[in-house]
Amino acid sequence: MGKFTLLDARLFAPGADLSGASNKIELSSEIEDKDTTNYRSGGWKEVIGGLGSAEISGEGQWEAGDPSKVDDASWATLGGVGPYTVCPTDSVVGALAYITAGMRADYKVGDAVGEVAPWSGTVKSSWPLVRGQIAHPPGTARTATGVGTALQLGAITAGKRLYAALHVLSVAGTTPSITARIETDDNAGFTTPTTLLTFGAATAPGGQILRGDGTAVTDTYYRVAWTITGSSPSFMFTASLGIR
């Protein structure tokens, strides 16, 4: 990916796509520097890494009235921890995505008379910030059990983990339910898939985030799969995966 102009950044809060109500999305991460300078440092300051942190800040046009709108989504998550996925360009399968579990730390609305009603808010990380990919696009409705596209993320070495976020954006039907899972295999055809992570059953818009236990995984291909039940069910959701 070369230089580009920010035109279609995406922001997925737990159960909402805030991209259409956002005109500024910023993502930052840092590691504390801890001073270890001593008399044998040769006159130069020495530091080692301390605690890490990440922050997502956004702002845009205020809307309210249903769970997909920024006001409803912000009040529902203020002070709580949930999954967040940020894409700097688009959210097609394989697109670059940054994933974390974070606490919605603040939310601000309002401005002077005559201005377009704005909002702004900040999310502070509770889990590491992970650089990954989109595994399922938000604009594809699913009405039956199925599987997504294979992604080649590489093997997971001991001590590292797979992180996976699920954002259920809309739900329709009678008693609809979706249970998503992350499968791995050693080939793109998934001839012998293994389930690595399983999300809880979802019956309403919302978000979940899971991570592995640090055990090494030799498989190099990953995909999201889902089981859907109910009468005339329909789900819009997006999923993102990354290893750290």
Side-chain angles (χ1 to χ4, degrees), residues 20 23-24 44 49 66 71 88 100 110 112 117-118 146 152-153 159 161-162 164 168 180 195-196 234:
N23 57 22
K24 185 177 182 180
W44 287 86
D66 66 63
D71 192 68
T100 194
Q152 189 174 22
L153 300 181
R161 305 184 187 198
L162 177 72
V168 177
T195 297
L196 184 61
S234 181

Side-chain angles (χ1 to χ4, degrees), residues 94-177:
L96 176 63
Y98 295 93
I99 310 156
T100 194
M103 182 190 76
R104 189 62 178 265
D106 60 67
Y107 175 56
K108 179 182 177 181
V109 299
D111 204 333
V113 62
E115 299 297 330
V116 175
W119 70 272
S120 64
T122 305
V123 172
K124 297 183 181 293
S125 64
S126 295
W127 281 13
L129 181 67
V130 180
R131 187 177 188 270
Q133 298 179 30
I134 291 293
H136 188 275
T140 301
R142 299 297 184 181
T143 59
T145 296
V147 298
T149 303
L151 298 175
Q152 189 174 22
L153 300 181
I156 303 174
T157 57
K160 292 187 177 296
R161 305 184 187 198
L162 177 72
Y163 290 76
L166 173 70
H167 305 274
V168 177
L169 305 174
S170 69
V171 179
T174 302
T175 63
S177 178

Side-chain angles (χ1 to χ4, degrees), residues 44-240:
W44 287 86
K45 186 176 182 179
E46 292 186 26
V47 297
I48 59 174
L51 296 176
S53 64
E55 183 175 297
I56 302 168
S57 59
E59 58 186 65
Q61 301 90 20
W62 182 89
E63 294 179 297
D66 66 63
S68 68
K69 304 300 185 183
V70 64
D71 192 68
D72 302 68
S74 297
W75 278 110
T77 57
L78 190 61
V81 175
Y84 290 84
T85 299
V86 177
C87 303
T89 53
D90 200 356
S91 53
V92 296
V93 172
L96 176 63
Y98 295 93
I99 310 156
T100 194
M103 182 190 76
R104 189 62 178 265
D106 60 67
Y107 175 56
K108 179 182 177 181
V109 299
D111 204 333
V113 62
E115 299 297 330
V116 175
W119 70 272
S120 64
T122 305
V123 172
K124 297 183 181 293
S125 64
S126 295
W127 281 13
L129 181 67
V130 180
R131 187 177 188 270
Q133 298 179 30
I134 291 293
H136 188 275
T140 301
R142 299 297 184 181
T143 59
T145 296
V147 298
T149 303
L151 298 175
Q152 189 174 22
L153 300 181
I156 303 174
T157 57
K160 292 187 177 296
R161 305 184 187 198
L162 177 72
Y163 290 76
L166 173 70
H167 305 274
V168 177
L169 305 174
S170 69
V171 179
T174 302
T175 63
S177 178
I178 182 170
T179 301
R181 63 190 181 276
I182 306 302
E183 297 180 338
T184 71
D185 209 332
D186 60 2
N187 64 90
F190 277 79
T191 55
T192 55
T194 298
T195 297
L196 184 61
L197 300 171
T198 301
F199 295 98
T203 59
Q208 301 177 52
I209 187 167
L210 300 173
R211 58 185 173 185
D213 60 7
T215 302
V217 175
T218 58
D219 288 344
T220 57
Y221 288 88
Y222 304 78
R223 71 182 181 187
V224 61
W226 56 90
T227 301
I228 291 177
T229 61
S231 177
S232 301
S234 181
F235 293 86
M236 299 280 277
F237 67 94
T238 187
S240 52

Side-chain angles (χ1 to χ4, degrees), residues 30-54:
E30 64 178 9
I31 303 294
E32 288 182 340
D33 57 288
K34 296 297 185 179
D35 195 329
T36 58
T37 308
N38 56 71
Y39 286 120
R40 300 300 296 170
S41 298
W44 287 86
K45 186 176 182 179
E46 292 186 26
V47 297
I48 59 174
L51 296 176
S53 64

